[in-house]
Amino acid sequence: EAGVAQSPRYKIIEKRQSVAFWCNPISGHATLYWYQQILGQGPKLLIQFQNNGVVDDSQLPKDRFSAERLKGVDSTLKIQPAKLEDSAVYLCASSLVGGAADEQFFGPGTRLTVL
Amino acid sequence: QKEVEQNSGPLSVPEGAIASLNCTYSDRGSQSFFWYRQYSGKSPELIMFIYSNGDKEDGRFTAQLNKASQYVSLLIRDSQPSDSATYLCAVNMEYGNKLVFGAGTILRVKS
């Protein structure tokens, strides 16, 4: 079974530029998550999708971050414009149904450096 | 008060010893608790989950949960150098039904 795929793996941009990340979850998984992990911290949930609907985006900085999950499968996360403090690893995860007991499977992440 | 708190470490133990990792959480209504392992530069992977008070054992790993004290721990028996990693405690918060991670504890197993 293929795992969660993410691209690109690494990205370096200048502040105020825009960037987009892509995620393909495990086949059949209804729930998709985007996390931000700053060095030395645990992952922080940015947005959670159930199929193609948003369940939770309370910690998504909506003035600069946006995300979509078209057709309930792949997802993209965009940052525009980027700030220095956005430097982090962006992790995509998926789970079968999104219940409280569901295991979340993580992709390899995208390491973003904002200069 | 942080929602999920862990001692950042590093926790250093000799090979073959028991490593004890601790976690406290703020939401008394939380029902499910997870331990993830994260190697440097890699993504988190699930080690164990626990829902009921008491102990749950899986090989060399034992998770312990005390909901009254809002405390969950992970014991690693016969620690190996390959266990050296950051261990993340994650709690599914009753409000919002979302997973909140602690900052992680760095474990170093010395051979």
Side-chain angles (χ1 to χ4, degrees), chain A residues 9 35 37 40-43 45 48 56 58-59 91 98-104 106-109 111, chain B residues 3 31-32 34 36 38 41-46 49 51 88 92 96-104:
Chain A
R9 294 293 311 278
Y35 288 90
Q37 187 173 23
Q41 299 181 19
L45 180 68
Q48 176 180 341
D56 186 331
S58 58
Q59 298 190 99
L91 294 163
D102 240 14
E103 177 179 357
Q104 295 186 22
F106 285 84
R111 183 176 298 275
Chain B
E3 294 174 295
Q31 295 296 322
S32 47
F34 302 80
Y36 281 83
Q38 187 172 29
K42 302 295 185 182
S43 58
E45 56 179 338
L46 184 68
F49 59 86
Y51 313 128
L88 298 164
N92 192 286
N97 188 28
K98 65 181 180 184
L99 207 57
V100 177
F101 285 83

Side-chain angles (χ1 to χ4, degrees), chain A residues 64-76:
Chain A
R64 298 185 301 107
F65 286 64
S66 64
E68 61 181 6
R69 189 183 185 195
L70 300 176
K71 300 181 181 178
V73 181
D74 292 8
S75 177
T76 57

Side-chain angles (χ1 to χ4, degrees), chain A residues 43-83:
Chain A
K44 183 182 82 171
L45 180 68
L46 293 176
I47 189 167
Q48 176 180 341
F49 292 95
Q50 185 74 17
N51 296 308
N52 60 349
V54 175
V55 174
D56 186 331
D57 63 356
S58 58
Q59 298 190 99
L60 186 73
K62 298 180 184 65
D63 57 334
R64 298 185 301 107
F65 286 64
S66 64
E68 61 181 6
R69 189 183 185 195
L70 300 176
K71 300 181 181 178
V73 181
D74 292 8
S75 177
T76 57
L77 175 70
K78 297 179 181 178
I79 308 175
Q80 181 178 15
K83 293 185 176 182

